[in-house]
């Protein structure tokens, strides 16, 4: 009985496999939202990609730019209104009460601190230190009257959508939109 358990049940076919074909090599993460949970999703995915040995590039556009501005990066909020996944079963009007969003954001940050999840600016520094690249969208920056000096130092540049697509060039690249 012991021999049966230790021996493979089926023989592995001797078929040559090109392990690099179709292999993921790079991710380009587009973050278009400035809510705490969306920004952290983008940051966690970029950091995870770097930890797996993948190339990671981030492109922040529209309200996602909040995450990379010096003024707002560490002051993002959790959306309580219009977020059906937030406290299901709670009446929607409660989420709109004054101060509720600040309370929810405080609680979210408190839970993230318990898990030792870095704050947004620290996370951005970690991503850059790991070889990740962070870019701001030119159109959105122009629309919100933001200049290079408004962004955290880790922002490598303010680029166009065409430049962003050029970042995705190469075999094995995936674009992730948040």
């Amino acid at each position: 009985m012991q021999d049966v358990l230790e021996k493979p049940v089926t023989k592995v076919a001797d078929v040559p496999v090109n392990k690099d074909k179709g292999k993921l090599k790079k991710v380009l993460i587009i973050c278009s939202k400035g809510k705490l949970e969306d920004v952290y999703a983008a940051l966690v995915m970029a950091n995870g990609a770097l930890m797996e040995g993948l190339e990671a590039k981030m492109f922040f556009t529209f309200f996602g730019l909040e995450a990379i501005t010096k003024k707002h990066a560490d002051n993002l909020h959790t959306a309580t209104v219009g977020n059906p996944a937030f406290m299901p079963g709670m009446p929607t009007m409660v989420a709109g009460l004054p101060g509720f969003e600040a309370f929810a954001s405080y609680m979210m940050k408190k839970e993230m601190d318990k898990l030792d999840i870095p704050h947004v600016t620290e996370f951005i520094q970690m991503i850059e230190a790991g070889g990740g690249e962070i870019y701001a969208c030119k159109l959105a920056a122009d629309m919100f009257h933001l200049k290079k000096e408004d962004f955290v130092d880790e922002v490598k540049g303010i680029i166009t959508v065409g430049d962003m697509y050029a970042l995705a060039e190469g075999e094995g690249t995936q674009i992730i939109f948040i």
Side-chain angles (χ1 to χ4, degrees), residues 102-122:
F103 174 72
S105 298
Y106 166 78
M107 293 303 294
M108 182 80 103
K109 289 176 182 175
K110 185 177 171 185
E111 290 300 314
M112 292 182 357
D113 284 344
K114 285 181 187 175
L115 296 172
D116 204 24
I117 297 172
H119 292 207
V120 170
T121 53
E122 186 181 349

Side-chain angles (χ1 to χ4, degrees), residues 13 18 52 54 62 88 96 111 128 144 148 162:
N18 183 355
E52 293 297 321
L54 302 172
F62 288 96
E111 290 300 314
E128 185 200 37
F144 296 125
K148 177 81 170 108

Side-chain angles (χ1 to χ4, degrees), residues 50-63:
L50 292 168
M51 291 178 70
E52 293 297 321
L54 302 172
E55 192 177 332
K57 298 181 187 302
M58 302 186 77
F59 181 74
F60 290 84
T61 187
F62 288 96
F63 298 113

Side-chain angles (χ1 to χ4, degrees), residues 130-161:
E133 296 176 4
I134 298 167
Y135 298 92
C137 173
K138 182 173 182 354
L139 174 67
D142 288 348
M143 196 168 82
F144 296 125
H145 308 287
L146 295 170
K147 305 220 178 306
K148 177 81 170 108
E149 58 268 18
D150 295 319
F151 296 111
V152 295
D153 295 339
E154 291 76 15
V155 172
K156 195 168 181 171
I158 301 172
I159 62 174
T160 65
V161 171

Side-chain angles (χ1 to χ4, degrees), residues 21-95:
K21 185 177 182 184
K23 185 175 181 179
L24 182 61
K25 297 175 185 170
K26 178 179 18 175
V27 292
L28 171 60
I29 300 170
I30 302 168
C31 182
S32 67
K33 297 176 182 141
K35 294 179 291 186
L36 190 65
E37 59 272 22
D38 296 319
V39 170
Y40 267 97
L43 295 171
V44 167
M45 293 178 83
N47 191 56
L50 292 168
M51 291 178 70
E52 293 297 321
L54 302 172
E55 192 177 332
K57 298 181 187 302
M58 302 186 77
F59 181 74
F60 290 84
T61 187
F62 288 96
F63 298 113
L65 288 178
E66 294 275 309
I68 55 172
T69 61
K70 292 174 183 170
K71 187 176 180 181
H72 296 108
D74 284 326
N75 300 305
L76 302 176
H77 292 266
T78 297
T80 54
V81 176
N83 184 354
F86 182 79
M87 298 182 76
M90 182 180 69
T92 302
M93 65 183 277
V94 173

